[in-house]
Amino acid sequence: MARLSYFIFLSLLSSFAAVLVAGEDHKFGRTINRKLYGLKKEKLSHFRLYWHDAVTGSNASSVLVVPPENTSTTAFGMVRMIDNALTLGPQMSSKLVGRAQGFYAQAAQQEIGLLMAMNFAFIEGKYNGSTITVLGRNTVFSKVREMPVVGGSGLFRFARGYVQARTHWLNMTSGDAIVEYNIYVLHY
């Protein structure tokens, strides 16, 4: 008798569980209240910093990982990995506020047009540990280049915006460069 009662109990329990599962909402996505994640009013921030691309020397921060396979004048196909200093001023001795980590690749056959994918990883103040992600086209010899901000982490979760890059200094022989970046980013 105890076995029968136990069997009936398990049958009822499994039937009840099946009803509960059948009543679940199996949608692929759902809307979430942003306040549950601490997302308040969106703000617009501006940062101006200098990106130091050292291609040569004992402290190179840009390393060739894929050489171009052709003899084109644009080095089409070349890929460089970077871990470039981000400073407050154009001098390397300026305050270090982060690193630009990622890569750039020569993606144009007729001009110097780079595909850039990099995280600006900040180490300063309240932004320490936060990143801004930039992904876009950089036509190096244009006076001002604009690339999108496609995301971020930490204080820059859900970030979007753009950067404007202006060459501050370029050594045409070595390829070393200092570029001013103005970042305009919407974030919570």
Side-chain angles (χ1 to χ4, degrees), residues 2 6 19-20 26-27 46 70-71 73 77 82 87 94 111 126 142 147 152 176-177 180 182 186 188:
Y6 182 70
V19 168
L20 284 178
H26 290 284
K27 291 182 182 176
H46 171 248
N70 55 46
T71 58
T73 57
I82 63 168
T87 62
S94 296
E111 64 182 332
K126 72 178 186 177
S142 297
M147 294 172 278
D176 292 352
E180 177 186 326
N182 280 280
L186 286 163
Y188 290 95

Side-chain angles (χ1 to χ4, degrees), residues 122-133:
F122 296 103
I123 61 169
E124 178 61 26
K126 72 178 186 177
Y127 302 107
N128 184 24
S130 297
T131 65
I132 292 174
T133 303

Side-chain angles (χ1 to χ4, degrees), residues 14-26:
S14 64
S15 297
F16 181 70
V19 168
L20 284 178
V21 169
E24 283 185 17
D25 189 1
H26 290 284

Side-chain angles (χ1 to χ4, degrees), residues 14-121:
S14 64
S15 297
F16 181 70
V19 168
L20 284 178
V21 169
E24 283 185 17
D25 189 1
H26 290 284
K27 291 182 182 176
F28 177 71
R30 62 188 173 108
T31 302
I32 299 173
N33 183 344
R34 67 181 180 187
K35 291 177 184 174
L36 294 174
Y37 288 91
L39 302 175
K40 297 174 184 154
K41 187 174 179 178
E42 195 171 35
K43 46 191 169 263
L44 174 64
S45 295
H46 171 248
F47 301 89
R48 185 179 78 178
L49 40 86
Y50 291 84
W51 182 88
H52 297 264
D53 194 37
V55 176
T56 60
S58 60
N59 291 323
S61 61
S62 175
V63 178
L64 183 67
V65 292
V66 179
E69 288 199 19
N70 55 46
T71 58
S72 78
T73 57
T74 65
F76 177 68
M78 176 270 311
V79 179
R80 287 186 166 278
M81 210 66 174
I82 63 168
D83 185 11
N84 292 348
L86 298 171
T87 62
L88 288 181
Q91 299 79 21
M92 191 58 188
S93 59
S94 296
K95 182 174 181 83
L96 181 71
V97 294
R99 310 287 304 177
Q101 298 169 329
F103 70 89
Y104 58 83
Q106 173 52 12
Q109 295 184 46
Q110 305 301 318
E111 64 182 332
I112 305 298
L114 303 176
L115 162 65
M116 300 196 74
M118 58 187 163
N119 290 310
F120 287 7

Side-chain angles (χ1 to χ4, degrees), residues 153-169:
S153 67
L155 291 179
F156 301 109
R157 287 184 192 134
F158 298 106
R160 66 187 194 284
Y162 67 98
V163 300
Q164 289 182 329
R166 291 175 176 82
T167 302
H168 178 78
W169 174 81

